[in-house]
Amino acid sequence: MNLEITPPRALKGITRVPGDKSISHRAAMLGALAEGETQIENFLMGADCLATVKCLESMGVTFTGPDENGRLTVHGRGPAGLKEPENVLDAGNSGTTMRLMLGILAGLPFFTVITGDASLRRRPMKRVTAPLSQMGARIWGRQEANLAPLAVQGGELQGGNFSLPVASAQVKSALLLAGLSARGETRVTEPAPSRDHTERMLQYFGAEISQKERTVWIKGGQVLGGRRVVVPGDISSAAFLLVAAAVVPGSDVTVREVGVNPTRDGILEVLRAMGADLEISNYHQLGGEPVADVRVRYSRLRGVTIGGELIPRLIDEIPILAVAGALGEGELVVRDAGELKVKESNRIATVVEELRKFGAEVEALDDGLRVQGGRPLTGALCASHGDHRIAMAMAVAGLAARGRTVIQDAGCVDVSFPGFAGILSSLRVD
Ligand code: S3P
């Protein structure tokens, strides 16, 4: 499927975005591990989260819905309610599904094989399989259990102390989920704070989990109870609309009930520093997560330099930030973001390749990007590289470029933001 974009006169309106991808995955998984019903409102019905649901269903977990109010129900029967699947589990394009499921599978007394699409089969899994093996799971795969397909023989695990070489919420979460079923305590220390949705949700589901500075720890053998979860709008999806409003002259867009968890809101901080006209209001809590309405009006942006601990707080927003940088004045520099190379695509390479097609001046760095703003962009024929965030970032570039832009193979947008094209159309003023 191709996505065709032409520049509008402006973008205006009030909208919502689909539920947060990270939180939706966790709600489905914790709901499956819990005893009793979990009702999830605003669950992201995108391909990634549906892959998580399918994996859990293959292990005997029952899901019903979504009902007419968009409520998905998980009928949890505790970890013992999960059974050995008869077939290979398919995580599709989803790193979160594979890494978090590995954490769960490690502690379950059966054999499983899990795989994914071509992109996921290239992504590094040793970062989870190595510590899970240390806890007692047996895991096999190419390159010493680095590449899927992975085969897991789970069983009794022993907690431990883990110091992560990269700030990764997926690795931290896999170890906490394994720790939930392990003997003793599992402690995870991160080099920089990554998103803490797993910690918040474990607590919300009744588990005791502690944190001091960069270390989080959990005692094994705790029982979770089903809950009602309301999933906030995904800030990583909202980011495309917020940047679009910031770069298309005359725009004024509000996105309602966006998750503004401080481990995820780096994009707001950086857009402000770039001179965006940003208004955040109506702060409140939704099931243990902070949300707010975010309004952006067009203004002239200027480049900034970012790196360090800010990076995990906006890691998924770097492709769209690069677009904002190309459309602003001055230079945008991103450092300390080598992790971009092992996302759904090598996002350093794909951002550079695609933005250059618009006439932007972009340079790949070993651990990030340099974007020189101030050049007018011209519509381009872009490839998505099968990466949902590359497809959407380039679509936004197309909104602010002269002429027509076509994003080829844009079906991947449904991985995280089903309805993206429809929402953009609804905001257009032509
Ligand atoms: C995610 C964590 C991040 C992020 C991904 C979702 C999560 O990955 O890029 O889109 O849900 O935990 P890493 O944990 O690998 O940095």
Side-chain angles (χ1 to χ4, degrees):
M1 186 209 96
N2 287 352
L3 179 59
E4 198 180 313
I5 303 280
T6 51
R9 266 208 305 131
L11 295 168
K12 280 184 193 272
I14 300 174
T15 189
R16 289 175 179 272
V17 287
D20 186 274
K21 180 156 78 71
S22 294
I23 297 174
S24 295
H25 280 297
R26 286 154 173 83
M29 290 183 194
L30 294 196
L33 292 172
E35 281 171 7
E37 263 185 22
T38 287
Q39 294 183 335
I40 313 172
E41 278 172 44
N42 201 31
F43 181 82
L44 172 61
M45 300 297 281
D48 268 22
C49 298
L50 292 175
T52 288
V53 169
K54 275 225 180 81
C55 288
L56 293 165
E57 281 179 337
S58 304
M59 291 192 282
V61 180
T62 309
F63 286 80
T64 49
D67 64 12
E68 62 282 1
N69 300 314
R71 196 179 301 127
L72 181 71
T73 303
V74 196
H75 303 269
R77 287 186 288 126
L82 295 168
K83 301 277 180 282
E84 182 172 276
E86 284 174 12
N87 208 340
V88 173
L89 299 183
D90 186 1
N93 188 242
S94 172
T96 308
T97 305
M98 181 164 287
R99 296 197 177 111
L100 271 59
M101 285 302 299
L102 285 167
I104 293 174
L105 295 171
L108 295 170
F110 51 72
F111 180 82
T112 318
V113 180
I114 185 163
T115 191
D117 71 5
S119 148
L120 190 55
R121 292 195 307 269
R122 284 193 292 267
R123 296 179 65 187
M125 295 297 147
K126 206 169 193 164
R127 47 179 70 190
V128 283
T129 60
L132 292 173
S133 303
Q134 244 172 286
M135 292 175 80
R138 286 187 295 153
I139 309 179
W140 298 267
R142 290 173 297 142
Q143 288 181 8
E144 297 171 3
N146 189 35
L147 298 180
L150 294 163
V152 185
Q153 176 58 58
E156 277 214 353
L157 301 178
Q158 180 65 48
N161 253 315
F162 299 95
S163 188
L164 306 186
V166 285
S168 164
Q170 293 179 354
V171 179
K172 173 178 63 176
S173 302
L175 297 181
L176 292 175
L177 291 172
L180 188 62
S181 68
R183 253 179 295 138
E185 211 169 70
T186 301
R187 300 176 83 90
V188 186
T189 304
E190 301 187 275
S194 69
R195 63 192 69 190
D196 64 357
H197 305 303
T198 304
E199 295 91 306
R200 284 174 187 256
M201 204 180 286
L202 278 167
Q203 198 155 37
Y204 186 69
F205 274 69
E208 205 182 298
I209 177 160
S210 317
Q211 183 179 354
K212 191 166 178 224
E213 288 153 12
R214 286 186 192 163
T215 302
V216 48
W217 63 97
I218 188 164
K219 240 195 293 161
Q222 301 192 57
V223 180
L224 305 181
R227 293 286 184 275
R228 176 173 169 263
V229 179
V230 185
V231 181
D234 197 327
I235 189 168
S236 297
S237 297
F240 297 104
L241 306 180
L242 301 178
V243 170
V247 298
V248 174
S251 295
D252 182 354
V253 170
T254 300
V255 188
R256 285 246 160 94
E257 289 202 316
V258 180
V260 288
N261 178 313
T263 61
R264 291 283 301 282
D265 67 352
I267 179 72
L268 302 180
E269 202 172 303
V270 173
L271 282 177
R272 256 217 183 104
M274 291 176 78
D277 181 354
L278 209 70
E279 211 177 284
I280 305 174
S281 62
N282 190 23
Y283 271 105
H284 58 285
Q285 295 281 321
L286 271 187
E289 291 278 350
V291 298
D293 298 345
V294 185
R295 177 179 188 181
V296 178
R297 278 170 279 198
Y298 167 78
S299 62
R300 296 204 71 83
L301 301 182
R302 55 181 175 272
V304 290
T305 295
I306 60 169
E309 296 204 352
L310 181 57
I311 297 300
R313 292 175 50 218
L314 48 63
I315 187 72
D316 293 337
E317 285 64 78
I318 293 173
I320 189 61
L321 263 182
V323 171
L327 289 159
E329 301 292 327
E331 195 179 60
L332 174 87
V333 183
V334 180
R335 309 282 345 207
D336 306 318
E339 275 293 299
L340 289 175
K341 293 180 186 166
V342 291
K343 295 295 177 188
E344 287 83 331
S345 68
N346 174 343
R347 287 183 177 160
I348 295 182
T350 50
V351 165
V352 169
E353 185 180 335
E354 297 309 314
L355 261 184
R356 279 187 181 157
K357 294 180 180 171
F358 290 88
E361 205 180 317
V362 206
E363 186 196 338
L365 304 174
D366 192 42
D367 63 346
L369 295 156
R370 177 176 288 126
V371 185
Q372 186 61 52
R375 281 190 167 205
L377 302 189
T378 311
L381 178 61
C382 290
S384 71
H385 301 264
D387 184 333
H388 52 131
R389 299 203 203 283
I390 297 298
M392 289 186 276
M394 297 312 140
V396 172
L399 291 172
R402 219 146 47 87
R404 199 172 75 112
T405 292
V406 175
I407 318 292
Q408 290 176 309
D409 185 21
C412 55
V413 162
D414 288 352
V415 156
S416 64
F417 197 165
F420 171 71
I423 291 181
L424 274 190
S425 304
S426 74
L427 295 172
R428 287 179 75 96
V429 179
D430 285 305

